[in-house]
Amino acid sequence: MNLADRQTAADVMMIRPVAFAGNPQTQPSNSFQQLDSDGGTIDAASQAAALREFDALVGALRQAGVNVHVFDDTPEPHTPDSIFPNNWVSFHADGTVVLYPMLAENRRLERRLDLLEALSAKHGFYTSRVIDLTRHEHTGRYLEGTGSLVLDRIHRVAYACVSPRTDLDVLGDFAQQLDYDIVAFEALDAAGAPIYHTNVLMSVGERFAAVCLNAIREDEREGVVNQLRGTGRAIVELSLDQMNAFAGNMLELASSLTGSVVAMSQRARDALTAEQRATLEASSGPIVTAAIPTIERLGGGSVRCMLAELHLPSKKPL
């Protein structure tokens, strides 16, 4: 285990949208998306609503003691899902940056090396190496960052539900290059379709793990639970209805005010029982929310998807 690894990040990167819209290229594999009949059309009202929701979340996180580094999306090329940066990049405590292969062609355009340069030059983060997994796109194999991967950074275990966006071969490549063990499983929604990203059904915090066990294939549930319990974490079991309300799409973050917080959408929080909320708060800290209905409906993702944790070390002063 790399002793520098922490489960929670004190800093996150977020991308402020300029032309948010539902993405028809992602809908076939994302049952959480609800596109309008003219899905994919850039709509000024949807963009304005998404911008309000985005700014409200940034404000809530900053007020809760989380350092948020906001970068503006670019008008061209049009990247309707740029608000979800955690799918194309992840940052690690030893200075490693990983770039990931994406299923939708228009999502590949989200990868911006200028942001990585800005994190170093303007925001004081240190990068030691870049691992580029994007070559797997050429053979139709994908792994969409910390959407596909739910990382236990302390014990170096990556949880992943296999889907059109999460390929076992790329998982193996990730595991070998970053020295992670993989816990792979199948997970289906109520209609029997593969769940597109692991981070909508589970979240691993420092002292808790929230997971929708009913979504996981029955003969694989025990293995997942045993792995989680073996790390001493409290298990918060989510129902399928709670998963569909994005309750699994939460993320624990470090806070300068309270030690840590759990970020999720207002819809997700409202779906939790009082007992579940109490377990999360006892295991972590306050729950921080913002209402993001437009982003959830058209984008098919929620708060966790909007946050790329900056686990990178700071540059040493000269």
Side-chain angles (χ1 to χ4, degrees):
M1 184 180 80
N2 183 342
L3 296 178
D5 282 347
R6 292 186 53 191
Q7 187 62 24
T8 57
D11 297 76
V12 294
M13 180 179 77
M14 297 180 66
I15 309 298
R16 198 166 189 260
V18 296
F20 177 78
N23 186 355
Q25 290 190 26
T26 59
Q27 190 181 33
S29 59
N30 182 350
S31 60
F32 290 79
Q33 262 183 284
Q34 300 171 44
L35 296 192
D36 299 325
S37 57
D38 59 346
T41 302
I42 300 175
D43 170 32
S46 295
Q47 161 61 16
L51 199 56
R52 287 193 299 270
E53 294 167 12
F54 177 91
D55 289 341
L57 177 59
V58 171
L61 290 170
R62 285 176 170 164
Q63 190 171 5
V66 178
N67 299 320
V68 183
H69 304 261
V70 175
F71 295 91
D72 288 322
D73 188 17
T74 55
E76 294 295 335
H78 180 219
T79 50
D81 285 321
S82 61
I83 203 168
F84 302 133
N86 80 310
N87 298 143
W88 65 265
V89 66
S90 67
F91 304 97
H92 302 265
D94 64 352
T96 297
V97 177
V98 186
L99 301 177
Y100 292 92
M102 314 272 280
L103 183 149
E105 289 188 17
N106 62 5
R107 293 217 62 190
R108 300 170 193 175
L109 301 172
E110 296 171 30
R111 296 189 293 251
R112 289 173 55 188
L113 297 183
D114 64 304
L115 300 188
L116 305 184
E117 293 166 1
L119 286 170
S120 175
K122 299 178 182 178
H123 295 256
F125 292 101
Y126 170 72
T127 298
S128 61
R129 61 172 178 164
V130 176
I131 294 176
D132 188 348
L133 301 177
T134 62
R135 66 185 181 282
H136 291 286
E137 288 171 352
H138 303 307
T139 53
R141 296 182 175 94
Y142 312 107
L143 187 71
E144 298 193 335
T146 53
S148 294
L149 300 162
V150 172
L151 300 179
D152 178 347
R153 292 175 183 262
I154 299 170
H155 300 93
R156 302 192 80 77
V157 176
Y159 297 87
C161 66
V162 179
S163 78
R165 309 208 198 172
T166 303
D167 181 87
L168 286 171
D169 287 343
V170 196
L171 273 170
D173 194 354
F174 171 89
Q176 184 174 20
Q177 296 208 52
L178 279 90
D179 190 28
Y180 266 75
D181 292 323
I182 298 293
V183 176
F185 52 89
E186 293 181 18
L188 305 176
D189 63 20
I195 293 172
Y196 80 111
H197 275 162
T198 316
N199 75 0
V200 296
L201 73 94
M202 71 183 299
S203 176
V204 174
E206 191 164 335
R207 295 194 296 134
F208 76 87
V211 58
C212 180
L213 292 175
N214 285 340
I216 298 174
R217 205 174 81 178
E218 190 171 359
D219 63 345
E220 295 179 320
R221 290 174 195 166
E222 186 176 359
V224 175
V225 170
N226 288 344
Q227 181 70 47
L228 292 168
R229 286 208 172 115
T231 63
R233 290 180 168 91
I235 306 292
V236 178
E237 187 171 344
L238 304 172
S239 69
L240 287 168
D241 286 343
Q242 288 175 325
M243 179 189 72
N244 290 334
F246 290 107
N249 200 239
M250 66 177 82
L251 182 65
E252 183 181 9
L253 296 166
S255 162
S256 62
L257 302 177
T258 58
S260 61
V261 296
V262 182
M264 67 183 74
S265 72
Q266 187 64 48
R267 178 185 176 192
R269 184 193 181 280
D270 290 346
L272 296 174
T273 66
E275 182 180 1
Q276 288 170 323
R277 292 196 297 268
T279 299
L280 290 172
E281 290 173 336
S283 301
S284 172
I287 295 173
V288 179
T289 67
I292 55 168
T294 309
I295 294 169
E296 289 178 327
R297 179 174 61 88
L298 294 178
S302 191
V303 164
R304 193 275 167 269
C305 302
M306 298 168 67
L307 306 173
E309 310 112 288
L310 292 165
H311 283 271
L312 297 173
S314 298
K315 286 183 177 178
K316 295 177 182 177
L318 297 175

PDB file of all heavy atoms in Angstrom, residues 101 132-139 173 177:
ATOM      1  N   PRO A 101     -10.217   5.572 -22.046  1.00  0.00           N
ATOM      2  CA  PRO A 101     -10.953   5.389 -23.306  1.00  0.00           C
ATOM      3  C   PRO A 101     -12.459   5.494 -23.086  1.00  0.00           C
ATOM      4  O   PRO A 101     -13.005   4.892 -22.165  1.00  0.00           O
ATOM      5  CB  PRO A 101     -10.554   3.965 -23.736  1.00  0.00           C
ATOM      6  CG  PRO A 101     -10.223   3.253 -22.453  1.00  0.00           C
ATOM      7  CD  PRO A 101      -9.690   4.303 -21.511  1.00  0.00           C
ATOM      8  N   ASP A 132      -1.724   6.779 -20.363  1.00  0.00           N
ATOM      9  CA  ASP A 132      -2.731   6.990 -21.406  1.00  0.00           C
ATOM     10  C   ASP A 132      -3.300   5.643 -21.838  1.00  0.00           C
ATOM     11  O   ASP A 132      -2.636   4.861 -22.518  1.00  0.00           O
ATOM     12  CB  ASP A 132      -2.086   7.720 -22.585  1.00  0.00           C
ATOM     13  CG  ASP A 132      -3.098   8.150 -23.628  1.00  0.00           C
ATOM     14  OD1 ASP A 132      -4.265   7.695 -23.565  1.00  0.00           O
ATOM     15  OD2 ASP A 132      -2.730   8.952 -24.515  1.00  0.00           O
ATOM     16  N   LEU A 133      -4.537   5.391 -21.429  1.00  0.00           N
ATOM     17  CA  LEU A 133      -5.218   4.145 -21.801  1.00  0.00           C
ATOM     18  C   LEU A 133      -6.105   4.309 -23.033  1.00  0.00           C
ATOM     19  O   LEU A 133      -6.812   3.377 -23.414  1.00  0.00           O
ATOM     20  CB  LEU A 133      -6.079   3.652 -20.625  1.00  0.00           C
ATOM     21  CG  LEU A 133      -5.352   3.363 -19.311  1.00  0.00           C
ATOM     22  CD1 LEU A 133      -6.356   2.953 -18.234  1.00  0.00           C
ATOM     23  CD2 LEU A 133      -4.296   2.281 -19.490  1.00  0.00           C
ATOM     24  N   THR A 134      -6.068   5.465 -23.661  1.00  0.00           N
ATOM     25  CA  THR A 134      -7.038   5.767 -24.718  1.00  0.00           C
ATOM     26  C   THR A 134      -6.829   4.925 -25.973  1.00  0.00           C
ATOM     27  O   THR A 134      -7.734   4.844 -26.814  1.00  0.00           O
ATOM     28  CB  THR A 134      -6.992   7.263 -25.095  1.00  0.00           C
ATOM     29  OG1 THR A 134      -5.695   7.592 -25.611  1.00  0.00           O
ATOM     30  CG2 THR A 134      -7.278   8.126 -23.885  1.00  0.00           C
ATOM     31  N   ARG A 135      -5.667   4.278 -26.104  1.00  0.00           N
ATOM     32  CA  ARG A 135      -5.443   3.441 -27.296  1.00  0.00           C
ATOM     33  C   ARG A 135      -6.477   2.319 -27.394  1.00  0.00           C
ATOM     34  O   ARG A 135      -6.726   1.786 -28.473  1.00  0.00           O
ATOM     35  CB  ARG A 135      -4.033   2.844 -27.256  1.00  0.00           C
ATOM     36  CG  ARG A 135      -3.824   1.849 -26.124  1.00  0.00           C
ATOM     37  CD  ARG A 135      -2.390   1.356 -26.028  1.00  0.00           C
ATOM     38  NE  ARG A 135      -2.213   0.390 -24.950  1.00  0.00           N
ATOM     39  CZ  ARG A 135      -2.112   0.729 -23.665  1.00  0.00           C
ATOM     40  NH1 ARG A 135      -2.179   2.006 -23.314  1.00  0.00           N
ATOM     41  NH2 ARG A 135      -1.958  -0.204 -22.751  1.00  0.00           N
ATOM     42  N   HIS A 136      -7.063   1.940 -26.280  1.00  0.00           N
ATOM     43  CA  HIS A 136      -8.055   0.864 -26.304  1.00  0.00           C
ATOM     44  C   HIS A 136      -9.306   1.238 -27.100  1.00  0.00           C
ATOM     45  O   HIS A 136     -10.065   0.352 -27.503  1.00  0.00           O
ATOM     46  CB  HIS A 136      -8.458   0.479 -24.875  1.00  0.00           C
ATOM     47  CG  HIS A 136      -7.358  -0.211 -24.111  1.00  0.00           C
ATOM     48  ND1 HIS A 136      -6.989  -1.516 -24.354  1.00  0.00           N
ATOM     49  CD2 HIS A 136      -6.539   0.244 -23.114  1.00  0.00           C
ATOM     50  CE1 HIS A 136      -6.004  -1.856 -23.523  1.00  0.00           C
ATOM     51  NE2 HIS A 136      -5.708  -0.801 -22.775  1.00  0.00           N
ATOM     52  N   GLU A 137      -9.508   2.525 -27.316  1.00  0.00           N
ATOM     53  CA  GLU A 137     -10.642   2.943 -28.155  1.00  0.00           C
ATOM     54  C   GLU A 137     -10.548   2.352 -29.559  1.00  0.00           C
ATOM     55  O   GLU A 137     -11.574   2.073 -30.184  1.00  0.00           O
ATOM     56  CB  GLU A 137     -10.696   4.474 -28.239  1.00  0.00           C
ATOM     57  CG  GLU A 137     -11.143   5.142 -26.954  1.00  0.00           C
ATOM     58  CD  GLU A 137     -10.982   6.644 -26.965  1.00  0.00           C
ATOM     59  OE1 GLU A 137     -10.383   7.192 -27.928  1.00  0.00           O
ATOM     60  OE2 GLU A 137     -11.443   7.287 -26.002  1.00  0.00           O
ATOM     61  N   HIS A 138      -9.335   2.153 -30.049  1.00  0.00           N
ATOM     62  CA  HIS A 138      -9.140   1.644 -31.408  1.00  0.00           C
ATOM     63  C   HIS A 138      -9.649   0.213 -31.569  1.00  0.00           C
ATOM     64  O   HIS A 138      -9.934  -0.227 -32.686  1.00  0.00           O
ATOM     65  CB  HIS A 138      -7.657   1.712 -31.802  1.00  0.00           C
ATOM     66  CG  HIS A 138      -7.074   3.085 -31.707  1.00  0.00           C
ATOM     67  ND1 HIS A 138      -7.646   4.178 -32.326  1.00  0.00           N
ATOM     68  CD2 HIS A 138      -5.970   3.550 -31.056  1.00  0.00           C
ATOM     69  CE1 HIS A 138      -6.926   5.255 -32.068  1.00  0.00           C
ATOM     70  NE2 HIS A 138      -5.916   4.910 -31.299  1.00  0.00           N
ATOM     71  N   THR A 139      -9.752  -0.524 -30.459  1.00  0.00           N
ATOM     72  CA  THR A 139     -10.245  -1.903 -30.523  1.00  0.00           C
ATOM     73  C   THR A 139     -11.612  -2.039 -29.848  1.00  0.00           C
ATOM     74  O   THR A 139     -12.043  -3.153 -29.531  1.00  0.00           O
ATOM     75  CB  THR A 139      -9.242  -2.864 -29.856  1.00  0.00           C
ATOM     76  OG1 THR A 139      -8.937  -2.401 -28.539  1.00  0.00           O
ATOM     77  CG2 THR A 139      -7.961  -2.955 -30.677  1.00  0.00           C
ATOM     78  N   ASP A 173      -5.395  -3.755 -17.632  1.00  0.00           N
ATOM     79  CA  ASP A 173      -4.329  -2.805 -17.948  1.00  0.00           C
ATOM     80  C   ASP A 173      -4.193  -1.777 -16.826  1.00  0.00           C
ATOM     81  O   ASP A 173      -3.090  -1.490 -16.336  1.00  0.00           O
ATOM     82  CB  ASP A 173      -4.643  -2.125 -19.281  1.00  0.00           C
ATOM     83  CG  ASP A 173      -3.455  -1.390 -19.873  1.00  0.00           C
ATOM     84  OD1 ASP A 173      -2.403  -1.303 -19.211  1.00  0.00           O
ATOM     85  OD2 ASP A 173      -3.583  -0.881 -21.015  1.00  0.00           O
ATOM     86  N   GLN A 177      -0.872  -1.364 -14.279  1.00  0.00           N
ATOM     87  CA  GLN A 177      -0.071  -0.143 -14.297  1.00  0.00           C
ATOM     88  C   GLN A 177      -0.147   0.639 -12.992  1.00  0.00           C
ATOM     89  O   GLN A 177       0.783   1.370 -12.633  1.00  0.00           O
ATOM     90  CB  GLN A 177      -0.482   0.746 -15.474  1.00  0.00           C
ATOM     91  CG  GLN A 177      -0.225   0.115 -16.827  1.00  0.00           C
ATOM     92  CD  GLN A 177       0.023   1.137 -17.906  1.00  0.00           C
ATOM     93  OE1 GLN A 177       0.866   2.018 -17.754  1.00  0.00           O
ATOM     94  NE2 GLN A 177      -0.707   1.023 -19.006  1.00  0.00           N
TER      95      GLN A 177
END
